[in-house]
Each structure stands twice: as structure tokens, then as C-alpha cells.
């Protein structure tokens, strides 16, 4: 298992980001779903910190909260067959999805990813939001002898390089200026000088315990997660004028509407599986050549 901690500073408050996060996830899911691939929402309901589908570590993390109000549980299927690296496409069924389970007790959240076809695959993300620039140490209370071994990665939403295919000029924090909040553009040193500031702290465990694949796959998983975190937080900020006037009730209604649209886009185009048998083909590239 490879564990890393990501810290993503944002020119927002924790209270503001609760709305921005929900808006961003719903809109991003809709934009990324087409042709039978994307995000299918299976379940979205209220939950408590003692859910039967949570393990002991997850429950213990949530019990750190001062407020014990109900949270929101969401289960999704992420259909992504053609988006996998080529070597993995060669050994997966044509209809393939990852299961995402999320427990949102803002400002604490837990998200896990599993796949029945790949039982050794598991990603677990613990998140805590704080009103600072990412200066708190060991917010997840990792044992003192283990914490120094965890790499801490500070993600800069303005100046970290994003893949060209994801770049949009109107989603560039270096040039974006918010009309409603008067925040931006973000210049060098903004994580020190700008106010307000908050930080998403994320402890990410990535596990793929298959001999010969483990190291490269776990590295690949973290590379993908970092890119998603960078893109998502850039969008949450540069879309601020669209969500800033929403309250929690309004953004939940928006979320519900977009989830219905997203499900329709994904489910209408999912192909029927050819059979229950999985055909394993010989990859044309070495397994070390991860796309």
C-alpha cells in the first residue's frame, strides 16, 4: 500500500467550500459522462457515523468531529473501460466500473474505491477541511513513528502544471477574476498573502497487492488522483460565481438534477456485456509502459 498526504489550499473559507465542492462534483461528473462512460449515481441519502457499511477505522475518524449531525452517503459506479491504460484494458471486461462510496460529514469526509473484478484494488481517501493555508501537521493523527514516512504533497491550483487536455482558459486561476467575490487572479505567493484561505487535507491510501504490478499501479493511481484533485479544486474556485449565492438546500437540488441527467447520459449508452467470461489477451506493450 502506498500512502500520501495531499494539501490543497483554496482562496475560500471552509464554510464556502461546502457549497463549492458539491457544485463542482455534480457539474464535473456531468461534463465527464458520455457514450456509456462516466459517473452513475446508485444511491444518495442521509447517513450516520455508525453505518454498517463502514469499517472501524472509518468510524473512528468520524468520531473526532465536534458536531455529530447526520451526513450524506453516496454510492456511484464510475464507468471507464476505454479510459484505462492499454495494458489494463487487455485484461478487463468490456463493461467495467469502479465502485465509489462516500460518507460526507463536512468538514470530514471519507471516500473509498473498489472493484469486484480487481479484488486487490482499493483506494481510501480521508479528508479534513481547515481554515488555513495547509500549515497544520498530522491532522489525521497518524502514529508519530509512521507519519514521517508519509510524503506530503502541497498542490498549488494556480501554478502546478495540468495536462493540456484538461486546460481551459476560463478555468485558469492565474487569469480568473471573480465578479461576486472580487478574488483572483492568483499570483505567485498567493497561498501566503491571499485572504481568506482554507485547505483540503487528504490522506490517500492506494493498494493494488498483485505481484509484479503493485509498485507501478499504486504510483499510477496516485498520479491520477493528484491530477483529479488539481483539476477539481481549480474548477471549484473558477466556477465560484455560479455557486456563490447558493445555500445547502439549493446546491443539493442542483446536485439531484445533474445526477439524473448524468445517469441518463451514462446508462442509455452502456453496451450489453458479451458474456460473463473474461477474455485475457496478450498486451502489445510491456506492462511497465503505463499510459
Amino acid at each position: 500500500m502506498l500512502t500520501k498526504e495531499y494539501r490543497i489550499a483554496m482562496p475560500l473559507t471552509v464554510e464556502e467550500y461546502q457549497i463549492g465542492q458539491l457544485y463542482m462534483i455534480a457539474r464535473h461528473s456531468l461534463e465527464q459522462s458520455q457514450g456509456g462512460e462516466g459517473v452513475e449515481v446508485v444511491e444518495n441519502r442521509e447517513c450516520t457515523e455508525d453505518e454498517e457499511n463502514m469499517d472501524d477505522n472509518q468510524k473512528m475518524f468520524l468520531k473526532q468531529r465536534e458536531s455529530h449531525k447526520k451526513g450524506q452517503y453516496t454510492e456511484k459506479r464510475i464507468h471507464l473501460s476505454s479510459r484505462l491504460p492499454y495494458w489494463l484494458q487487455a485484461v478487463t471486461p468490456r463493461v467495467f466500473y469502479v465502485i465509489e462510496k462516500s460518507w460526507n460529514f463536512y468538514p470530514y469526509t471519507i471516500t473509498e474505491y473498489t472493484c469486484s473484478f480487481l479484488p486487490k484494488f482499493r483506494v481510501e481517501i480521508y479528508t479534513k477541511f481547515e481554515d488555513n493555508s495547509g500549515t497544520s501537521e498530522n491532522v489525521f493523527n497518524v502514529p508519530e513513528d509512521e507519519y514521517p514516512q508519509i510524503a506530503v504533497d502541497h498542490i498549488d491550483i494556480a501554478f502546478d502544471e495540468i495536462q493540456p487536455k484538461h486546460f481551459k482558459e476560463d478555468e485558469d486561476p492565474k487569469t480568473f477574476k471573480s465578479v461576486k467575490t472580487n478574488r483572483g487572479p492568483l499570483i505567485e505567493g498567493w497561498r501566503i498573502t491571499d485572504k481568506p484561505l482554507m485547505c483540503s487535507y487528504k490522506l490517500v491510501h492506494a493498494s493494488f497487492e498483485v505481484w509484479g504490478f503493485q509498485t507501478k499501479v499504486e504510483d499510477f493511481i496516485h498520479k491520477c488522483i493528484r491530477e483529479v484533485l488539481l483539476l477539481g479544486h481549480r474548477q471549484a474556485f473558477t466556477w465560484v460565481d455560479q455557486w456563490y449565492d447558493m445555500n445547502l438546500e439549493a446546491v443539493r437540488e442542483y446536485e439531484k438534477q445533474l445526477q439524473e441527467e448524468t445517469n441518463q447520459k451514462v446508462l442509455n449508452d452502456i453496451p450489453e456485456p458479451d458474456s460473463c467470461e473474461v477474455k485475457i489477451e496478450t498486451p502489445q506493450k510491456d506492462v511497465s509502459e503505463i499510459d
Side-chain angles (χ1 to χ4, degrees), residues 17 20 22 27 29 36 41 45 49 52 79 98 109 120-122 144 147 149-150 162 170 183 194 209 271 276 281-282:
Y17 188 64
L22 294 172
R27 178 173 165 182
S29 296
V41 179
R45 59 171 173 80
E49 62 189 19
E52 292 183 359
H79 301 266
V98 170
T109 68
K120 298 295 185 179
F121 166 83
R122 180 182 175 86
E144 291 185 5
Y147 189 67
Q149 304 170 32
I150 298 175
I162 196 165
D170 59 350
R183 300 173 200 169
D194 283 30
E209 297 179 356
C276 294
E281 303 174 355
T282 303

Side-chain angles (χ1 to χ4, degrees), residues 148-161:
Q149 304 170 32
I150 298 175
V152 177
D153 186 345
H154 292 264
I155 296 177
D156 187 332
I157 65 169
F159 291 93
D160 281 5
E161 186 175 348

Side-chain angles (χ1 to χ4, degrees), residues 238-274:
T238 56
W239 292 345
V240 64
D241 288 342
Q242 279 69 57
W243 59 258
Y244 192 72
D245 293 329
M246 290 183 173
N247 57 24
L248 190 57
E249 182 180 359
V251 77
R252 284 295 186 191
E253 184 59 33
Y254 175 84
E255 177 187 55
K256 180 181 177 181
Q257 176 187 337
L258 263 64
Q259 285 176 354
E260 292 173 354
E261 294 180 31
T262 303
N263 278 6
Q264 187 174 10
K265 286 178 67 175
V266 173
L267 297 176
N268 285 352
D269 294 320
I270 290 180
E272 292 294 328
D274 296 328

Side-chain angles (χ1 to χ4, degrees), residues 117-134:
F117 179 74
L118 299 169
K120 298 295 185 179
F121 166 83
R122 180 182 175 86
V123 175
E124 197 171 26
I125 304 175
Y126 293 84
T127 304
K128 185 178 179 183
F129 303 98
E130 292 189 353
D131 280 312
N132 56 55
S133 62

Side-chain angles (χ1 to χ4, degrees), residues 175-185 237-238 240-241 244:
T175 57
F176 169 76
K177 178 72 173 181
S178 169
V179 174
K180 294 184 178 179
T181 68
N182 201 36
R183 300 173 200 169
F237 171 55
T238 56
V240 64
D241 288 342
Y244 192 72

Side-chain angles (χ1 to χ4, degrees), residues 80-210:
L80 39 56
S81 296
S82 69
R83 303 186 187 190
L84 297 173
Y86 179 82
W87 61 268
L88 195 51
Q89 289 184 44
V91 296
T92 57
R94 192 159 63 97
V95 180
F96 174 81
Y97 60 82
V98 170
I99 300 169
E100 177 193 287
K101 296 180 180 179
S102 177
W103 297 267
N104 187 343
F105 291 82
Y106 200 86
Y108 292 76
T109 68
I110 300 171
T111 307
E112 69 173 33
Y113 299 89
T114 57
C115 175
S116 59
F117 179 74
L118 299 169
K120 298 295 185 179
F121 166 83
R122 180 182 175 86
V123 175
E124 197 171 26
I125 304 175
Y126 293 84
T127 304
K128 185 178 179 183
F129 303 98
E130 292 189 353
D131 280 312
N132 56 55
S133 62
T135 53
S136 296
E137 295 299 327
N138 198 8
V139 299
F140 301 101
N141 297 318
V142 177
E144 291 185 5
D145 59 331
E146 298 178 15
Y147 189 67
Q149 304 170 32
I150 298 175
V152 177
D153 186 345
H154 292 264
I155 296 177
D156 187 332
I157 65 169
F159 291 93
D160 281 5
E161 186 175 348
I162 196 165
Q163 290 187 28
K165 65 181 179 180
H166 293 315
F167 179 81
K168 295 181 181 179
E169 190 172 344
D170 59 350
E171 294 177 3
D172 185 353
K174 294 194 298 295
T175 57
F176 169 76
K177 178 72 173 181
S178 169
V179 174
K180 294 184 178 179
T181 68
N182 201 36
R183 300 173 200 169
L186 303 183
I187 63 174
E188 285 281 6
W190 69 270
R191 290 180 292 177
I192 299 174
T193 60
D194 283 30
K195 301 294 181 183
L197 278 173
M198 61 150 289
C199 183
S200 299
Y201 292 83
K202 293 182 178 287
L203 187 68
V204 181
H205 306 294
S207 176
F208 189 76
E209 297 179 356
V210 177

Side-chain angles (χ1 to χ4, degrees), residues 39-97:
V39 182
E40 171 197 357
V41 179
V42 178
E43 191 173 2
N44 189 359
R45 59 171 173 80
E46 282 192 345
C47 65
T48 68
E49 62 189 19
D50 294 315
E51 292 278 309
E52 292 183 359
N53 59 358
M54 298 176 64
D55 64 33
D56 291 340
N57 288 334
Q58 293 169 342
K59 292 177 181 178
M60 187 178 302
F61 172 67
L62 292 177
K63 288 186 183 298
Q64 299 177 38
R65 298 175 300 130
E66 296 178 1
S67 173
H68 291 267
K69 296 179 181 179
K70 289 185 177 181
Q72 196 78 10
Y73 171 74
T74 309
E75 183 172 334
K76 302 175 182 178
R77 293 176 180 176
I78 304 173
H79 301 266
L80 39 56
S81 296
S82 69
R83 303 186 187 190
L84 297 173
Y86 179 82
W87 61 268
L88 195 51
Q89 289 184 44
V91 296
T92 57
R94 192 159 63 97
V95 180
F96 174 81
Y97 60 82

